[in-house]
Amino acid sequence: MINLSLEMEQRIAKLEKEMEALRQEMDVLKQQQPQQKTTVKNVNRSITVQPALPTPKPTPKPTPTPKQIPKTNVQPQRSFEEQIMWALPKVFMVILVLGVLWGLKLVSDYGYLSNEVKIILAYLLSIALGAIAYVLEHKKKASPAVTISLYGGAFIVGILTTAAGAILYEVLGLTLALFIAFVFIVYGIAISYLKKNEVLTLFVAFTSLLLPYLLEYMDFSAFIILFFVIILFTMLQFVILQHKQKIALYVTTFFSIMAVSIVAFMNSDNRVIFAIGLLITLAIFYTSWCRLYNVESKWKHIHAGLQFSLGLFSLLLLNLVSSRLEYNEIILLGLCILFVTVAGYSYKQKWQEAFDSAVTLAFITLCNTVLIMNLPEKVDDLLLPFMTFAGVMMSLRLRASLMKIVSSFGFAMALILSYIVHEPTPFFSIEHISLILPGVYLLIIYLYTIREKETLNTFEKIMKDLYVTDILAVMTAGYFLAYIAKLDSVYVTSVSNFPHMMTIGIVILFVGSLLLPEKYKGRALTPVVGVFFLFVTLMFNVIPYNIQGIEWLNIGTRLIYIAAFVAIILDLLMKGRIYQIYQQLMPKYLDLIVSASVAFTMIALCGLLSQLAYNDLMDWKLSVALTTVTLFLSASLSLWLGTVRHLRILRLSGFAILAIAFIKLIFFDLSALDLLIRAVLFIAIGGIGMLLSGRLLRK
């Protein structure tokens, strides 16, 4: 019973604890319920208080207003197939004319028709072609391409028939033939003006310009022939300018200057008149060209190039025509004035391409004028390089791209000729000055080229990407070295077999390029001259037995090279001017450059000792000993500097030089030196080694 009562009491106590825990939980829940109710009420209240936002009404889409398309006079461009279709009637017309001519020739060969009948039939064919074209055009039964071809065929047949009747068959009188030819030419120009077709204009121009040869056959005076060509060329300009026929302008100009030139060659006594006629023809051409030139056209570069080509071709013909004249330079000077006038007008209109080509033509003509003048020979030697130099400077100043190319080519040719022809002997002479001045011109051009520009045009950007300015710096230095080589060949090499002055010039040029900032020397000068400097150093010091002649010059040249290497090493280690100029590269390449400089200094010193022994200025055994001492000193210096400056490559090169010095000392010097020199040498090397070891161990 006692056990049962104890169990009941434990259960009751446990139930009481659970009831107490439930009461506490109920109290916590009762406290949380009113807080949740208040928050819900607040939320509902806030929702009800906020005013309802008005729903946005959809905005009506604006009705698109029809765009007003501006009316333009731009004609739709024909496709490639349409252009072929338009060209076919003209081609077939030419074939028809040729067929008719060959048919008449065949009939004439068989003797069926007399010459008079053939000429009459040819004229009837010409009139018939024109009449058919007129009828088809008015009744609108053919396309414009066909009618234009018929009109052109009528003109061609008429002109050729007139020429054949007067020259080949001698059926027509010369005066009558000339009158008929004039009638057909007026007809052709009128048709070209009315039909506005450029191909028809080309036909008329080409065929009409055959008439000067008829006039020449008729033995007319040169003035009348020239007057006819100029009048015909001028009348064609009205058609060309009215309808803006640029291709016809170039073609008619070409055949006009060809007609004047060919007839001029047939009349050797009247060259002056035809030379003036060429100038007048070119003046008319450039007047029309300036009126037709469009600076906004995408073909403006081609048009500038075509007028440049025609101008250059005209200059060639004018040279041939006026070659036998007594004062032919006056004719060329007139052409130069014409080009200068065109250049001035282009500059005023801000036509850069036209200005460029005109200035280039003026420069070429001026150089040509100077060349044909009867000047003394020495003046020619000075004047030709100066003229080409002036052309380069003018092109740089005007920033004329085409002129830069032409004038630079001319200057390069003058430079090469001046160097080949002239010699620096006698020293005080015009010939020597003629050899020096091109190098001075080259230096002035380079200094003007490296000046800072605010903006670069397309040509200048291309030249910069091609390193042209850097190449120009190398060329300038190369010319001066070549000039010094000529001085060597005349004044030094005849006594000595080695170009000492040029080698001294190389070291001075290399050290000088190291001291100049990159904006003054370019990017290629120092590497190129540096390669030559190292090559000459090796050749100059490794092969001392080839250097003969003046002893003090040999020794002085070697001392200059040694001084250059020592100066470079000191500048780099003390962070001097060279280090400051190349401070971006020095942290990466300082170890390698100093190591190479120490090695080359050691080689130069050994070469100097060999040279002294070679010239009997030092005992041979003493030079062997000093060479070994030089090796040990170089090794010691490399090890010490490499340790102090933390230059790993220099330190390793010091160990390599030290190994070479030991090999030389043991395997070569012991057998070659006597006891006294051997003792002194070992004492010196031992002292150097002890001092170096102490320094290195202290570090």
Side-chain angles (χ1 to χ4, degrees), residues 257-258 261 265 278 313-322:
I257 61 178
M258 283 295 296
S261 302
F265 296 143
L278 271 177
F313 182 65
S314 303
L315 175 61
L316 175 62
L317 291 178
L318 195 60
N319 270 299
L320 296 175
V321 171
S322 62

Side-chain angles (χ1 to χ4, degrees), residues 261-274:
S261 302
I262 292 174
V263 179
F265 296 143
M266 297 178 181
N267 293 269
S268 58
D269 298 333
N270 299 303
R271 293 287 181 90
V272 178
I273 297 175
F274 287 102

Side-chain angles (χ1 to χ4, degrees), residues 446-447 449-451 464 467-477 512-529 581-582:
Y446 174 71
L447 294 177
T449 304
I450 62 174
R451 76 192 193 284
K464 184 178 180 181
Y467 295 88
V468 173
T469 306
D470 306 286
I471 296 172
L472 183 59
V474 176
M475 290 176 59
T476 305
S513 68
L514 290 176
L515 297 174
L516 285 176
E518 187 176 291
K519 66 177 182 179
Y520 295 117
K521 66 181 177 182
R523 294 165 287 183
L525 181 62
T526 300
V528 172
V529 180
I581 292 175
Y582 300 95

Side-chain angles (χ1 to χ4, degrees), residues 369-658:
T369 306
V370 173
L371 286 176
I372 65 174
M373 288 182 178
N374 295 322
L375 298 174
E377 183 180 356
K378 300 298 181 182
V379 177
D380 284 343
D381 294 340
L382 294 174
L383 196 57
L384 179 60
F386 177 75
M387 291 296 299
T388 55
F389 162 69
V392 175
M393 292 300 295
M394 187 186 301
S395 64
L396 293 174
R397 177 67 182 86
L398 301 176
R399 306 178 76 175
S401 303
L402 182 61
M403 188 179 179
K404 287 180 183 178
I405 298 173
V406 176
S407 59
S408 298
F409 178 76
F411 180 71
M413 294 300 296
L415 200 73
I416 295 171
L417 289 175
S418 178
Y419 183 79
I420 294 174
V421 172
H422 300 116
E423 295 291 337
T425 178
F427 192 82
F428 298 102
S429 61
I430 294 180
E431 190 170 5
H432 192 182
I433 296 174
S434 301
L435 184 63
I436 295 174
L437 284 179
V440 177
Y441 297 153
L442 200 59
L443 179 61
I444 294 173
I445 292 171
Y446 174 71
L447 294 177
Y448 191 84
T449 304
I450 62 174
R451 76 192 193 284
E452 295 183 358
K453 306 178 184 67
E454 295 181 359
T455 57
L456 298 176
N457 56 32
T458 305
F459 182 81
E460 290 169 344
K461 291 179 181 177
I462 294 174
M463 293 298 102
K464 184 178 180 181
D465 294 338
L466 294 176
Y467 295 88
V468 173
T469 306
D470 306 286
I471 296 172
L472 183 59
V474 176
M475 290 176 59
T476 305
Y479 185 85
F480 278 104
L481 288 176
Y483 163 71
I484 296 173
K486 278 220 168 188
L487 291 178
D488 264 332
S489 64
V490 175
Y491 298 104
V492 179
T493 311
S494 58
V495 182
S496 173
N497 294 329
F498 195 85
H500 291 281
M501 295 180 66
M502 190 181 71
T503 54
I504 294 173
I506 289 175
V507 67
I508 294 174
L509 189 62
F510 176 64
V511 176
S513 68
L514 290 176
L515 297 174
L516 285 176
E518 187 176 291
K519 66 177 182 179
Y520 295 117
K521 66 181 177 182
R523 294 165 287 183
L525 181 62
T526 300
V528 172
V529 180
V531 171
F532 280 99
F533 174 68
L534 297 178
F535 173 75
V536 172
T537 303
L538 291 173
M539 182 183 66
F540 192 58
N541 294 286
V542 174
I543 314 175
Y545 55 85
N546 284 334
I547 303 174
Q548 302 173 359
I550 305 173
E551 297 176 357
W552 66 266
L553 190 56
N554 295 340
I555 297 170
T557 306
R558 293 181 182 279
L559 289 174
I560 290 174
Y561 270 76
I562 294 170
F565 281 114
V566 172
I568 293 172
I569 294 171
L570 293 176
D571 184 278
L572 295 179
L573 294 177
M574 298 176 65
K575 296 184 178 180
R577 181 175 177 81
I578 300 175
Y579 185 93
Q580 295 299 326
I581 292 175
Y582 300 95
Q583 58 182 348
Q584 295 181 351
L585 300 175
M586 280 302 133
K588 185 177 181 181
Y589 297 104
L590 178 63
D591 192 0
L592 180 62
I593 295 173
V594 173
S595 302
S597 300
V598 170
F600 278 105
T601 305
M602 180 189 68
I603 294 173
L605 284 170
C606 294
L608 176 61
L609 295 172
S610 299
Q611 183 69 51
L612 292 173
Y614 182 81
N615 292 331
D616 295 329
L617 298 175
M618 179 183 291
D619 185 69
W620 176 75
K621 294 181 180 180
L622 181 59
S623 68
V624 172
L626 291 179
T627 302
T628 306
V629 172
T630 301
L631 293 176
F632 276 100
L633 284 174
S634 301
S636 303
L637 182 64
S638 300
L639 291 171
W640 179 66
L641 288 177
T643 305
V644 173
R645 299 282 183 167
H646 304 288
L647 302 175
R648 183 173 177 272
I649 298 177
L650 182 60
R651 190 167 61 251
L652 293 176
S653 63
F655 285 119
I657 296 172
L658 188 62

Side-chain angles (χ1 to χ4, degrees), residues 345-364:
Y345 182 78
S346 302
Y347 182 79
K348 184 179 179 181
Q349 298 294 326
K350 298 181 180 179
W351 297 343
Q352 182 61 40
E353 292 78 11
F355 170 75
D356 187 359
S357 59
V359 168
T360 307
L361 286 171
F363 166 70
I364 296 173

Side-chain angles (χ1 to χ4, degrees), residues 47-280:
I47 292 174
T48 55
V49 169
Q50 289 180 354
L53 295 174
T55 57
K57 296 181 180 180
T59 58
K61 296 182 179 180
T63 57
T65 58
K67 295 182 180 180
Q68 295 181 356
I69 302 174
K71 296 181 179 180
T72 59
N73 295 325
V74 178
Q75 297 180 356
Q77 296 182 352
R78 300 188 185 99
S79 63
F80 181 70
E81 291 80 3
E82 291 174 344
Q83 291 178 0
I84 293 177
M85 295 299 295
W86 275 78
L88 284 178
K90 304 173 183 61
V91 176
F92 289 136
M93 177 53 64
V94 174
I95 295 174
L96 174 64
V97 171
L98 292 176
V100 170
L101 292 176
W102 289 333
L104 291 175
K105 179 68 170 58
L106 185 63
V107 170
S108 177
D109 291 340
Y110 283 102
Y112 293 130
L113 297 175
S114 63
N115 293 334
E116 292 81 1
V117 175
K118 287 187 290 184
I119 295 300
I120 293 173
L121 290 177
Y123 277 124
L124 291 176
L125 175 63
S126 175
I127 296 171
L129 290 175
I132 293 171
Y134 180 79
V135 172
L136 292 177
E137 184 179 18
H138 278 269
K139 291 185 177 182
K140 299 180 180 180
K141 292 185 178 180
S143 66
V146 175
T147 57
I148 288 173
S149 301
L150 290 172
Y151 281 126
F155 172 77
I156 294 173
V157 172
I159 287 290
L160 294 179
T161 302
T162 304
I167 298 175
L168 295 179
Y169 303 128
E170 297 181 354
V171 173
L172 299 174
L174 297 179
T175 305
L176 178 62
L178 184 61
F179 175 76
I180 296 174
F182 277 134
V183 170
F184 273 103
I185 288 173
V186 172
Y187 159 77
I189 294 175
I191 291 298
S192 301
Y193 185 84
L194 294 174
K195 300 308 174 184
K196 307 176 183 180
N197 187 271
E198 191 167 15
V199 178
L200 185 58
T201 306
L202 292 174
F203 278 150
V204 172
F206 173 73
T207 313
S208 300
L209 288 170
L210 296 175
L211 188 60
Y213 310 112
L214 174 63
L215 297 176
E216 173 64 25
Y217 177 80
M218 297 170 67
D219 199 19
F220 273 85
S221 68
F223 181 77
I224 293 177
I225 299 174
L226 181 62
F227 181 74
F228 168 76
V229 175
I230 293 176
I231 292 297
L232 175 61
F233 185 65
T234 304
M235 294 300 296
L236 288 171
Q237 301 309 304
F238 290 102
V239 181
I240 291 170
L241 292 175
Q242 179 67 27
H243 306 306
K244 300 185 183 305
Q245 298 173 348
K246 298 180 180 179
I247 298 177
L249 174 63
Y250 298 124
V251 174
T252 54
T253 304
F254 175 77
F255 284 110
S256 296
I257 61 178
M258 283 295 296
V260 174
S261 302
I262 292 174
V263 179
F265 296 143
M266 297 178 181
N267 293 269
S268 58
D269 298 333
N270 299 303
R271 293 287 181 90
V272 178
I273 297 175
F274 287 102
I276 296 173
L278 271 177
L279 289 178
I280 296 173

Side-chain angles (χ1 to χ4, degrees), residues 14-27:
K14 186 175 180 181
L15 289 172
E16 288 178 353
K17 290 180 180 179
E18 292 177 356
M19 289 296 294
E20 186 66 25
L22 289 172
R23 284 174 185 164
Q24 291 177 357
E25 291 178 359
M26 290 295 293
D27 292 337

